[in-house]
Amino acid sequence: MLGAREAHYGKTLAELYDPETMPQDLRDAHHQLDLIVDSCYRDRPFVDENERLEWLLKLYDKANKNV
């Protein structure tokens, strides 16, 4: 991801992360990172952000019940 950011040196974070104009290589790097992090939680990737959030909130809830 850092390499993808460096490839667009001089652009601000606002420019890099604008959903309408985000460079494809940076978008792809974030997707690959998401897949790696997702694999820490389960064997298959999440369908979307909503499914990821739901899964993580259930883990958080479960952890707080054990406190």
Side-chain angles (χ1 to χ4, degrees):
M1 187 170 21
L2 295 177
R5 281 189 191 173
E6 287 176 13
H8 303 281
Y9 180 79
K11 288 193 174 189
T12 66
L13 289 176
E15 291 169 329
L16 287 174
Y17 288 94
D18 180 330
E20 301 294 321
T21 61
M22 183 179 200
Q24 190 61 48
D25 59 339
L26 184 57
R27 188 180 307 273
D28 292 343
H30 273 281
H31 178 69
Q32 289 303 311
L33 180 59
D34 287 346
L35 293 175
I36 292 167
V37 172
D38 288 353
S39 72
C40 295
Y41 292 98
R42 62 187 209 175
D43 294 336
R44 59 181 168 51
F46 295 100
V47 173
D48 57 21
E49 292 295 324
N50 289 331
E51 185 181 30
R52 181 181 292 111
L53 182 59
E54 182 179 327
W55 181 275
L56 294 174
L57 287 173
K58 284 180 184 177
L59 285 177
Y60 177 80
D61 213 27
K62 183 179 176 181
N64 283 325
K65 287 180 182 177
N66 293 327
V67 172

